[in-house]
Amino acid sequence: MQTLNGNAVAKTLKAKIKIEVDQLKAEGKKVPHLAAILVGSVGASMTYVAAKEKDCFEVGFDSTVLRFPESITEAELLNEVEKVNNNADIDGLIVQLPLPKHISEKKVTETISWKKDVDGFHPMNVGLMFKGLPCFLPATPYGIIKLLEHYQVETSGKHCVIIGRSDIVGKPMSALMLQKNCTVTVCHSKTKNIESFIQQGDIVIAALGKPEFLKASMIKEGAVVIDVGITRVDDASNPKGYVLKGDVDFNDVAPKSSFITPVPGGVGPMTRIGLLLNTIDAVNRRNLSSATSM
Ligand code: GUN
């Protein structure tokens, strides 16, 4: 069994991104600029946005966080998104989800210019991704692909079983694993006899949001196990008052797996890399399109 160390791979990739940014600076070119919109004060969202800001700082990107109160109206928020769309200095925009109930996430996602949509949530990017064309890939699936590539995990001809069908992870992951020549099965809450499918997986990607759902008895001997889950579970003995749990019962599953991601330190840091890679891509594509339109 080998642990897929997302922290270590993310560190290596971050160093590479920093070299690329330093190169852009040395050439007098524009530095990538990521903007994040944060509505309200949900603890997890604030933590994620702060982490993204820190990542930008570490690799030398410019970063802007636009904070709005929970009471912002949908029309006002859409207007703020448009302002960023029209701001030539900003290359990538994310609107941290979830949004308050009175705001349509669909409308917001579709208002972000697809050319700045570094979350890869806009239907245009989703369509391009399913066709295997250049686009912004959603950060978590992108990070997982990078992690598998780093460890040269064989995917061709393998059966990949994905548990969860979210727009952010399960669905895009299925498209990317198909492009990696896997046979793909997507299981979800309505799948009957789910264990019979999981048992067939050479690669099992757990993204259902149920702490420690996956047990050793459910997987094939030697399976590759990717844990996307990250749930805060109350724990009075922890100074934070909670611990982070994945969807995989790591201690139970690890001895039976060939490769496995831990939580934390597996998929999480790679997701953050996915976003940085998309942001640098946004700049490179802009440079390319301005060069070809001359
Ligand atoms: N909330 C949880 N995950 C994500 C993500 O990947 N992007 C955004 N914008 N919000 C999220």
Side-chain angles (χ1 to χ4, degrees), residues 152-193:
Q152 299 181 328
V153 173
E154 182 64 73
T155 53
S156 189
K158 302 291 180 186
H159 186 177
C160 176
V161 176
I162 298 166
I163 316 167
R165 57 172 160 176
S166 69
D167 287 343
I168 297 181
V169 182
K171 284 184 203 167
M173 202 68 236
S174 69
L176 298 184
M177 293 308 270
L178 203 51
Q179 283 161 22
K180 285 281 191 188
N181 296 319
C182 283
T183 301
V184 179
T185 299
V186 181
C187 300
H188 49 80
S189 53
K190 298 284 188 290
T191 301
K192 293 204 170 80
N193 200 2

Short mmCIF file of all heavy atoms in Angstrom, two decimals, residues 152-193:
data_model
loop_
_atom_site.label_atom_id
_atom_site.label_comp_id
_atom_site.label_asym_id
_atom_site.label_seq_id
_atom_site.Cartn_x
_atom_site.Cartn_y
_atom_site.Cartn_z
N GLN A 152 1.92 7.97 -11.40
CA GLN A 152 1.85 7.05 -12.55
C GLN A 152 0.91 5.88 -12.27
O GLN A 152 1.24 4.71 -12.54
CB GLN A 152 3.25 6.56 -12.92
CG GLN A 152 4.14 7.72 -13.33
CD GLN A 152 5.53 7.28 -13.72
OE1 GLN A 152 6.07 6.31 -13.20
NE2 GLN A 152 6.14 8.01 -14.64
N VAL A 153 -0.24 6.19 -11.70
CA VAL A 153 -1.25 5.15 -11.46
C VAL A 153 -1.86 4.78 -12.81
O VAL A 153 -2.33 5.66 -13.55
CB VAL A 153 -2.34 5.67 -10.49
CG1 VAL A 153 -3.48 4.65 -10.37
CG2 VAL A 153 -1.74 5.96 -9.11
N GLU A 154 -1.83 3.50 -13.13
CA GLU A 154 -2.38 3.03 -14.42
C GLU A 154 -3.90 3.21 -14.44
O GLU A 154 -4.59 2.83 -13.48
CB GLU A 154 -2.03 1.54 -14.58
CG GLU A 154 -2.48 0.91 -15.89
CD GLU A 154 -1.81 1.51 -17.12
OE1 GLU A 154 -0.62 1.23 -17.34
OE2 GLU A 154 -2.50 2.26 -17.84
N THR A 155 -4.40 3.83 -15.51
CA THR A 155 -5.85 4.02 -15.61
C THR A 155 -6.44 3.28 -16.82
O THR A 155 -7.60 2.88 -16.80
CB THR A 155 -6.21 5.52 -15.73
OG1 THR A 155 -5.45 6.07 -16.82
CG2 THR A 155 -5.93 6.28 -14.45
N SER A 156 -5.62 3.12 -17.87
CA SER A 156 -6.14 2.57 -19.12
C SER A 156 -6.69 1.16 -18.93
O SER A 156 -6.00 0.28 -18.41
CB SER A 156 -5.01 2.57 -20.17
OG SER A 156 -5.56 2.25 -21.41
N GLY A 157 -7.94 0.99 -19.33
CA GLY A 157 -8.58 -0.33 -19.23
C GLY A 157 -9.08 -0.68 -17.84
O GLY A 157 -9.64 -1.76 -17.64
N LYS A 158 -8.86 0.20 -16.89
CA LYS A 158 -9.29 -0.08 -15.51
C LYS A 158 -10.75 0.31 -15.32
O LYS A 158 -11.26 1.20 -16.01
CB LYS A 158 -8.42 0.70 -14.51
CG LYS A 158 -6.93 0.42 -14.60
CD LYS A 158 -6.60 -0.98 -14.15
CE LYS A 158 -5.11 -1.23 -14.25
NZ LYS A 158 -4.75 -2.62 -13.97
N HIS A 159 -11.37 -0.35 -14.37
CA HIS A 159 -12.76 -0.02 -14.04
C HIS A 159 -12.75 0.99 -12.90
O HIS A 159 -12.29 0.68 -11.80
CB HIS A 159 -13.51 -1.30 -13.64
CG HIS A 159 -14.98 -1.07 -13.43
ND1 HIS A 159 -15.85 -2.09 -13.12
CD2 HIS A 159 -15.74 0.05 -13.48
CE1 HIS A 159 -17.07 -1.59 -12.99
NE2 HIS A 159 -17.02 -0.30 -13.20
N CYS A 160 -13.22 2.20 -13.19
CA CYS A 160 -13.27 3.24 -12.16
C CYS A 160 -14.69 3.37 -11.65
O CYS A 160 -15.62 3.62 -12.43
CB CYS A 160 -12.78 4.57 -12.75
SG CYS A 160 -12.92 5.93 -11.58
N VAL A 161 -14.87 3.19 -10.36
CA VAL A 161 -16.20 3.33 -9.76
C VAL A 161 -16.21 4.63 -8.95
O VAL A 161 -15.41 4.80 -8.03
CB VAL A 161 -16.55 2.12 -8.87
CG1 VAL A 161 -17.90 2.34 -8.18
CG2 VAL A 161 -16.57 0.85 -9.70
N ILE A 162 -17.11 5.52 -9.35
CA ILE A 162 -17.22 6.82 -8.65
C ILE A 162 -18.48 6.77 -7.80
O ILE A 162 -19.55 6.39 -8.27
CB ILE A 162 -17.30 7.96 -9.70
CG1 ILE A 162 -16.02 7.99 -10.53
CG2 ILE A 162 -17.55 9.30 -9.02
CD1 ILE A 162 -16.10 8.81 -11.79
N ILE A 163 -18.34 7.12 -6.53
CA ILE A 163 -19.51 7.12 -5.65
C ILE A 163 -19.88 8.58 -5.42
O ILE A 163 -19.15 9.32 -4.76
CB ILE A 163 -19.22 6.41 -4.31
CG1 ILE A 163 -18.46 5.09 -4.55
CG2 ILE A 163 -20.51 6.17 -3.55
CD1 ILE A 163 -17.88 4.49 -3.27
N GLY A 164 -21.00 8.99 -5.99
CA GLY A 164 -21.44 10.39 -5.90
C GLY A 164 -21.56 10.97 -7.30
O GLY A 164 -20.72 10.71 -8.16
N ARG A 165 -22.61 11.77 -7.52
CA ARG A 165 -22.86 12.31 -8.87
C ARG A 165 -23.03 13.82 -8.86
O ARG A 165 -23.84 14.38 -9.60
CB ARG A 165 -24.10 11.65 -9.47
CG ARG A 165 -25.32 11.82 -8.60
CD ARG A 165 -26.58 11.35 -9.28
NE ARG A 165 -27.62 11.09 -8.28
CZ ARG A 165 -28.85 10.73 -8.57
NH1 ARG A 165 -29.21 10.57 -9.81
NH2 ARG A 165 -29.73 10.51 -7.61
N SER A 166 -22.27 14.50 -7.99
CA SER A 166 -22.39 15.96 -7.91
C SER A 166 -21.84 16.61 -9.17
O SER A 166 -21.02 16.03 -9.89
CB SER A 166 -21.61 16.48 -6.70
OG SER A 166 -20.23 16.32 -6.93
N ASP A 167 -22.32 17.85 -9.40
CA ASP A 167 -21.81 18.61 -10.56
C ASP A 167 -20.34 18.98 -10.36
O ASP A 167 -19.61 19.17 -11.33
CB ASP A 167 -22.61 19.92 -10.72
CG ASP A 167 -24.00 19.65 -11.27
OD1 ASP A 167 -24.23 18.55 -11.81
OD2 ASP A 167 -24.86 20.54 -11.15
N ILE A 168 -19.92 19.11 -9.09
CA ILE A 168 -18.56 19.58 -8.80
C ILE A 168 -17.53 18.45 -8.87
O ILE A 168 -16.40 18.64 -9.28
CB ILE A 168 -18.52 20.27 -7.41
CG1 ILE A 168 -19.40 21.51 -7.38
CG2 ILE A 168 -17.10 20.62 -7.00
CD1 ILE A 168 -19.40 22.26 -6.04
N VAL A 169 -17.93 17.23 -8.47
CA VAL A 169 -16.95 16.13 -8.44
C VAL A 169 -17.39 14.91 -9.28
O VAL A 169 -16.73 14.57 -10.27
CB VAL A 169 -16.64 15.67 -6.98
CG1 VAL A 169 -15.58 14.57 -7.00
CG2 VAL A 169 -16.16 16.84 -6.12
N GLY A 170 -18.46 14.26 -8.90
CA GLY A 170 -18.81 12.97 -9.52
C GLY A 170 -18.95 13.03 -11.03
O GLY A 170 -18.32 12.25 -11.75
N LYS A 171 -19.78 13.97 -11.51
CA LYS A 171 -20.03 14.02 -12.97
C LYS A 171 -18.75 14.37 -13.74
O LYS A 171 -18.39 13.67 -14.69
CB LYS A 171 -21.14 15.03 -13.28
CG LYS A 171 -22.53 14.51 -12.96
CD LYS A 171 -23.56 15.54 -13.41
CE LYS A 171 -24.85 15.38 -12.66
NZ LYS A 171 -25.74 16.55 -12.85
N PRO A 172 -18.05 15.48 -13.38
CA PRO A 172 -16.83 15.77 -14.14
C PRO A 172 -15.77 14.68 -14.02
O PRO A 172 -15.05 14.39 -14.98
CB PRO A 172 -16.34 17.11 -13.56
CG PRO A 172 -17.09 17.33 -12.30
CD PRO A 172 -18.36 16.55 -12.41
N MET A 173 -15.69 14.07 -12.84
CA MET A 173 -14.70 12.99 -12.65
C MET A 173 -14.95 11.86 -13.64
O MET A 173 -14.01 11.25 -14.18
CB MET A 173 -14.82 12.48 -11.20
CG MET A 173 -13.61 11.79 -10.67
SD MET A 173 -12.22 12.88 -10.43
CE MET A 173 -10.96 12.08 -11.40
N SER A 174 -16.24 11.58 -13.88
CA SER A 174 -16.58 10.48 -14.79
C SER A 174 -16.07 10.81 -16.20
O SER A 174 -15.53 9.94 -16.89
CB SER A 174 -18.09 10.21 -14.80
OG SER A 174 -18.79 11.27 -15.40
N ALA A 175 -16.22 12.08 -16.61
CA ALA A 175 -15.75 12.46 -17.95
C ALA A 175 -14.23 12.34 -18.04
O ALA A 175 -13.70 11.83 -19.04
CB ALA A 175 -16.17 13.90 -18.25
N LEU A 176 -13.54 12.78 -17.00
CA LEU A 176 -12.06 12.77 -17.05
C LEU A 176 -11.51 11.35 -16.99
O LEU A 176 -10.52 11.03 -17.67
CB LEU A 176 -11.48 13.63 -15.92
CG LEU A 176 -11.86 15.12 -15.96
CD1 LEU A 176 -11.14 15.89 -14.87
CD2 LEU A 176 -11.54 15.74 -17.32
N MET A 177 -12.13 10.48 -16.21
CA MET A 177 -11.64 9.09 -16.13
C MET A 177 -11.93 8.34 -17.44
O MET A 177 -11.18 7.46 -17.83
CB MET A 177 -12.23 8.37 -14.92
CG MET A 177 -11.73 8.93 -13.59
SD MET A 177 -9.92 9.05 -13.48
CE MET A 177 -9.50 7.45 -12.79
N LEU A 178 -13.02 8.73 -18.09
CA LEU A 178 -13.32 8.16 -19.41
C LEU A 178 -12.21 8.57 -20.39
O LEU A 178 -11.72 7.75 -21.18
CB LEU A 178 -14.67 8.70 -19.87
CG LEU A 178 -15.47 7.94 -20.91
CD1 LEU A 178 -15.64 6.48 -20.53
CD2 LEU A 178 -16.86 8.60 -21.06
N GLN A 179 -11.80 9.84 -20.30
CA GLN A 179 -10.72 10.31 -21.18
C GLN A 179 -9.40 9.63 -20.84
O GLN A 179 -8.50 9.56 -21.67
CB GLN A 179 -10.58 11.84 -21.07
CG GLN A 179 -11.67 12.57 -21.85
CD GLN A 179 -11.85 14.01 -21.43
OE1 GLN A 179 -10.96 14.63 -20.87
NE2 GLN A 179 -13.02 14.56 -21.70
N LYS A 180 -9.30 9.12 -19.61
CA LYS A 180 -8.10 8.38 -19.20
C LYS A 180 -8.24 6.89 -19.54
O LYS A 180 -7.54 6.04 -18.97
CB LYS A 180 -7.89 8.53 -17.68
CG LYS A 180 -7.34 9.89 -17.28
CD LYS A 180 -5.86 9.92 -17.56
CE LYS A 180 -5.11 11.04 -17.01
NZ LYS A 180 -3.72 11.04 -17.51
N ASN A 181 -9.21 6.58 -20.39
CA ASN A 181 -9.43 5.21 -20.88
C ASN A 181 -9.90 4.23 -19.83
O ASN A 181 -9.65 3.02 -19.93
CB ASN A 181 -8.18 4.67 -21.57
CG ASN A 181 -7.84 5.46 -22.81
OD1 ASN A 181 -8.74 5.82 -23.57
ND2 ASN A 181 -6.58 5.78 -22.99
N CYS A 182 -10.57 4.74 -18.79
CA CYS A 182 -11.21 3.84 -17.82
C CYS A 182 -12.58 3.43 -18.33
O CYS A 182 -13.19 4.13 -19.15
CB CYS A 182 -11.43 4.56 -16.49
SG CYS A 182 -9.96 4.76 -15.49
N THR A 183 -13.07 2.33 -17.82
CA THR A 183 -14.49 2.00 -17.92
C THR A 183 -15.09 2.60 -16.65
O THR A 183 -14.57 2.35 -15.56
CB THR A 183 -14.70 0.48 -17.93
OG1 THR A 183 -13.97 -0.03 -19.04
CG2 THR A 183 -16.16 0.10 -18.00
N VAL A 184 -16.11 3.42 -16.80
CA VAL A 184 -16.56 4.20 -15.64
C VAL A 184 -17.97 3.81 -15.19
O VAL A 184 -18.88 3.69 -16.02
CB VAL A 184 -16.52 5.72 -15.96
CG1 VAL A 184 -17.01 6.54 -14.77
CG2 VAL A 184 -15.10 6.15 -16.34
N THR A 185 -18.13 3.63 -13.90
CA THR A 185 -19.46 3.44 -13.30
C THR A 185 -19.66 4.56 -12.29
O THR A 185 -18.77 4.82 -11.47
CB THR A 185 -19.54 2.08 -12.57
OG1 THR A 185 -19.31 1.03 -13.51
CG2 THR A 185 -20.90 1.88 -11.91
N VAL A 186 -20.80 5.22 -12.38
CA VAL A 186 -21.12 6.25 -11.38
C VAL A 186 -22.26 5.74 -10.50
O VAL A 186 -23.35 5.45 -10.99
CB VAL A 186 -21.53 7.59 -12.05
CG1 VAL A 186 -21.83 8.64 -10.98
CG2 VAL A 186 -20.45 8.08 -13.00
N CYS A 187 -21.98 5.59 -9.21
CA CYS A 187 -23.00 5.15 -8.25
C CYS A 187 -23.52 6.37 -7.49
O CYS A 187 -22.81 7.36 -7.35
CB CYS A 187 -22.40 4.19 -7.23
SG CYS A 187 -21.72 2.70 -7.95
N HIS A 188 -24.74 6.29 -7.02
CA HIS A 188 -25.32 7.43 -6.29
C HIS A 188 -26.37 6.93 -5.30
O HIS A 188 -26.54 5.71 -5.13
CB HIS A 188 -25.89 8.45 -7.29
CG HIS A 188 -26.75 7.83 -8.32
ND1 HIS A 188 -28.06 7.50 -8.07
CD2 HIS A 188 -26.48 7.43 -9.59
CE1 HIS A 188 -28.57 6.95 -9.16
NE2 HIS A 188 -27.63 6.88 -10.09
N SER A 189 -27.07 7.89 -4.70
CA SER A 189 -27.98 7.53 -3.60
C SER A 189 -29.11 6.58 -4.02
O SER A 189 -29.70 5.90 -3.18
CB SER A 189 -28.56 8.79 -2.96
OG SER A 189 -29.15 9.58 -3.98
N LYS A 190 -29.41 6.54 -5.30
CA LYS A 190 -30.50 5.66 -5.76
C LYS A 190 -29.97 4.35 -6.37
O LYS A 190 -30.74 3.53 -6.86
CB LYS A 190 -31.36 6.39 -6.80
CG LYS A 190 -32.05 7.65 -6.29
CD LYS A 190 -33.25 7.30 -5.41
CE LYS A 190 -34.06 8.52 -5.03
NZ LYS A 190 -33.38 9.42 -4.08
N THR A 191 -28.66 4.16 -6.36
CA THR A 191 -28.09 2.93 -6.93
C THR A 191 -28.49 1.74 -6.06
O THR A 191 -28.32 1.78 -4.84
CB THR A 191 -26.55 3.04 -7.00
OG1 THR A 191 -26.20 4.16 -7.80
CG2 THR A 191 -25.93 1.77 -7.57
N LYS A 192 -29.01 0.71 -6.71
CA LYS A 192 -29.40 -0.50 -5.97
C LYS A 192 -28.19 -1.41 -5.85
O LYS A 192 -27.42 -1.55 -6.79
CB LYS A 192 -30.53 -1.22 -6.71
CG LYS A 192 -31.82 -0.43 -6.71
CD LYS A 192 -33.03 -1.36 -6.90
CE LYS A 192 -34.32 -0.62 -6.67
NZ LYS A 192 -34.75 0.18 -7.82
N ASN A 193 -28.03 -2.01 -4.69
CA ASN A 193 -26.94 -2.94 -4.44
C ASN A 193 -25.58 -2.30 -4.76
O ASN A 193 -24.77 -2.85 -5.52
CB ASN A 193 -27.16 -4.22 -5.26
CG ASN A 193 -26.35 -5.38 -4.69
OD1 ASN A 193 -25.66 -5.23 -3.66
ND2 ASN A 193 -26.40 -6.51 -5.36
#
